[in-house]
């Protein structure tokens, strides 16, 4: 199992294609390849740090993964590169190197190995200990044994029709899962922050509701922006439902690459959330292999879509995701979607208001300047298909009023809102 981090070269054409937010084969390939290489390096680091050495339990589990990979590489790849696996690996590596705090959950590596072996159909025998009467097998679902204590798994241990199993819910139309089971489906799922609190296990009625909203959102994406619909299906492996009390409509967290956390919402809003959040995942992958800026994390910048000051990186991420939204709503408007021109004009005006600040920042690298210049070119190209009447000018004036109001509330930060 290869675990070296590939040396990535990002061509100018690929960089500019990604900066435009428009989907491209080269950009999607780079995102997928970066995610895979980063995950393998992370998993190797967990194995190297695990106690016991070559004779330890973790090494035994890794050997089963390698055996499964020889039989069915695609199945093992899906398990290892599942978004929740990244959350577990980062948390485990952190705990392995922490002198105090909770013990690392190395037993989960056994669950990964068992899931891979089951999917690859290799003969195996592995004893694991369920937690709270259930054992999660990543990408498959939950096993609910009828008695407490250790559980011995073999190649015959998973039957999706058995009442003792609870399969992971597959959303219609592809390989995206609705994950309300995996304990690592979101960082800190046991003690989440209010803005991104994952929902508890859904009822069948909740799954059906998500099926309807997901299908509706994909239908809208396919109607208005076919390439973005294809990109969404390619880059998203899981959607994690957010609890109703979550303040955010959607979120993307770097540890869970390939996953979006989202609230249940009507198809038009969910389609926009998916477009927005996929961009965050793309930019995170790019910045794993390319430095765009060296700015610090001090929150000093105005972002029209937030009330609180943002650090430069947050401003860049927000502008990038909103640039994609402006393009999506422009295409939706051309197909006659109700209210789409107003959405496009408002969001484009927000992006246009902060692009000069991004482009003029003194801590941009050469790649960062090229990236933000290409973002600006993509925003300017929207002039080719302007909204009717003076909607764009009206939106710009409204955004400027918001900027002035924000400056009045944050006078010490006013110099950072304009070049």
């Amino acid at each position: 199992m290869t675990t070296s981090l590939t040396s990535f070269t990002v061509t100018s054409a690929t960089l500019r294609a990604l900066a435009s937010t428009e989907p491209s084969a080269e950009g999607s390939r780079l995102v997928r390849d970066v995610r895979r290489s980063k995950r393998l390096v992370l998993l190797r680091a967990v194995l190297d740090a695990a106690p016991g050495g070559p004779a330890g339990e973790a090494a035994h589990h890794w050997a089963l993964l390698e055996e499964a990979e020889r039989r069915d590489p695609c199945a093992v790849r899906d398990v290892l590169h599942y978004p929740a696996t990244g959350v577990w690996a980062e948390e485990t590596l952190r705990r392995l190197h922490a002198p105090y705090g909770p013990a690392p959950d190395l037993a989960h590596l056994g669950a990964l190995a068992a899931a891979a072996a089951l999917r690859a159909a290799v003969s195996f025998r592995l004893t694991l200990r369920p937690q709270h009467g259930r054992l999660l097998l990543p990408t498959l679902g939950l096993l609910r044994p009828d008695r407490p204590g250790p559980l011995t798994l073999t190649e015959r241990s998973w039957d999706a029709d058995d009442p003792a199993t609870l399969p992971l819910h597959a959303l219609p139309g592809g390989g995206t899962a609705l994950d309300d089971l995996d304990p690592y489906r979101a960082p800190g799922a046991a003690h989440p922050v209010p803005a991104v609190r994952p929902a508890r296990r859904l009822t069948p009625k909740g799954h059906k509701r998500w099926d309807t909203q997901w299908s509706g959102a994909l239908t809208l994406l396919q109607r208005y922006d076919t390439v973005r619909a294809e990109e969404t299906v390619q880059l998203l492996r899981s959607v994690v439902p957010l609890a109703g009390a979550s303040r955010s409509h959607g979120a993307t967290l770097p540890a869970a690459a390939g996953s979006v956390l989202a609230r249940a919402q009507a198809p038009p809003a969910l389609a926009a959330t998916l477009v927005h959040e996929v961009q965050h995942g793309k930019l995170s992958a790019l910045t794993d292999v390319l430095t765009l800026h060296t700015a610090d994390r001090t929150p000093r910048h105005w972002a029209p879509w937030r009330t609180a000051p943002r650090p430069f990186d947050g401003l860049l991420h927000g502008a990038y995701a909103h640039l994609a939204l402006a393009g999506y709503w422009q295409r939706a408007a051309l197909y006659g979607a109700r209210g789409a021109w107003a959405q496009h004009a408002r969001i484009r005006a927000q992006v246009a208001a902060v692009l000069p600040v991004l482009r003029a920042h003194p801590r941009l690298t050469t790649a960062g300047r090229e990236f933000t210049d290409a973002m600006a070119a993509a925003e300017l190209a929207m002039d080719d298909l302007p909204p009717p009447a003076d909607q764009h000018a009206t939106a710009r004036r409204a955004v400027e009023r918001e900027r002035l109001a924000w400056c009045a509330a944050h006078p010490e930060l006013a110099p950072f809102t304009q070049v």
Side-chain angles (χ1 to χ4, degrees):
M1 191 177 297
T2 303
T3 56
S4 61
L5 183 60
T6 304
S7 177
F8 289 94
T9 299
V10 183
T11 66
S12 180
T14 300
L15 179 64
R16 296 184 70 83
L18 282 168
S20 75
T21 77
E22 294 298 323
S24 69
E26 297 78 10
S28 294
R29 188 180 306 114
L30 177 70
V31 170
R32 291 194 299 268
D33 289 349
V34 168
R35 287 175 175 175
R36 288 170 182 167
S37 290
K38 183 180 179 182
R39 179 64 53 80
L40 289 176
V41 169
L42 183 59
L43 289 169
R44 184 73 233 187
V46 169
L47 182 64
D48 290 344
E57 190 175 55
H60 173 62
H61 295 158
W62 189 267
L64 179 56
L65 281 167
E66 291 183 324
E67 182 183 354
E69 185 187 43
R70 288 190 288 271
R71 172 70 67 85
D72 190 341
C74 291
V76 177
R77 186 183 304 122
D78 192 46
V79 173
L80 294 185
H81 297 287
Y82 188 67
T85 303
V87 178
W88 164 79
E90 287 199 8
E91 177 64 21
T92 299
L93 191 61
R94 208 163 28 240
R95 292 184 181 186
L96 283 167
H97 290 290
Y100 307 104
D105 181 14
L106 287 170
H108 192 71
L109 183 59
L112 289 167
L118 284 163
R119 293 189 53 180
V122 300
S123 296
F124 75 101
R125 188 176 184 85
L126 190 63
T127 300
L128 300 174
R129 184 176 292 278
Q131 297 292 320
H132 309 294
R134 58 186 188 177
L135 178 67
L136 187 285
L137 297 175
T139 74
L140 290 175
L142 285 176
L143 275 176
R144 298 175 289 186
D146 56 6
R147 61 176 64 90
L151 179 66
T152 298
L153 302 179
T154 70
E155 63 274 14
R156 296 181 296 276
S157 292
W158 181 262
D159 180 356
D161 296 323
D162 189 326
T165 66
L166 183 63
L168 189 66
H169 185 76
L171 289 166
T176 305
L178 184 71
D179 195 342
D180 57 342
L181 298 178
D182 199 302
Y184 293 100
R185 63 191 180 274
H191 303 285
V193 295
V196 289
R197 185 163 62 89
R200 296 182 178 181
R201 190 196 318 169
L202 302 181
T203 63
K205 183 177 179 181
H207 285 156
K208 186 175 181 180
R209 180 186 182 193
W210 262 99
D211 286 348
T212 300
Q213 294 173 340
W214 171 262
S215 297
L218 281 190
T219 297
L220 291 176
L221 283 172
Q222 290 160 354
R223 180 186 305 161
Y224 300 147
D225 203 333
T226 304
V227 290
R228 289 204 191 279
E230 293 172 354
E231 179 183 64
T232 298
V233 172
Q234 285 179 9
L235 297 183
L236 276 192
R237 180 63 182 85
S238 70
V239 175
V240 175
L242 284 172
S246 298
R247 294 194 297 268
S248 176
H249 288 282
T252 302
L253 304 173
S259 182
V260 162
L261 296 95
R263 290 180 63 177
Q265 50 199 297
L270 180 58
T273 294
L274 294 175
V275 169
H276 182 277
E277 297 303 334
V278 164
Q279 308 314 308
H280 286 304
K282 288 162 60 179
L283 186 51
S284 291
L286 176 64
T287 54
D288 277 334
V289 295
L290 196 64
T291 301
L292 299 181
H293 67 85
T294 58
D296 61 32
R297 297 183 180 183
T298 304
R300 57 167 65 93
H301 295 282
W302 166 66
W305 42 85
R306 291 287 191 100
T307 55
R310 300 290 288 154
F312 181 81
D313 195 63
L315 184 66
L316 177 61
H317 261 272
Y320 183 68
H322 281 81
L323 178 62
L325 269 183
Y328 168 70
W329 284 118
Q330 185 179 49
R331 289 182 174 88
L334 294 171
Y335 277 89
R338 181 179 299 178
W341 276 127
Q343 290 273 32
H344 162 72
R346 176 179 60 84
I347 295 171
R348 184 188 171 189
Q350 291 175 334
V351 174
V354 300
L355 274 171
V357 174
L358 291 173
R359 296 176 70 192
H361 199 282
R363 303 302 294 272
L364 285 175
T365 62
T366 300
R369 284 193 293 272
E370 184 174 6
F371 188 83
T372 53
D373 285 349
M375 285 178 63
E379 187 270 326
L380 187 61
M382 293 177 186
D383 278 340
D384 294 342
L385 296 167
D390 61 347
Q391 289 190 52
H392 187 43
T394 300
R396 281 181 177 266
R397 289 193 292 270
V399 170
E400 176 60 14
R401 288 194 295 271
E402 292 169 8
R403 186 189 71 82
L404 292 173
W406 191 89
C407 289
H410 304 84
E412 74 285 3
L413 299 179
F416 296 100
T417 67
Q418 280 191 323
V419 178

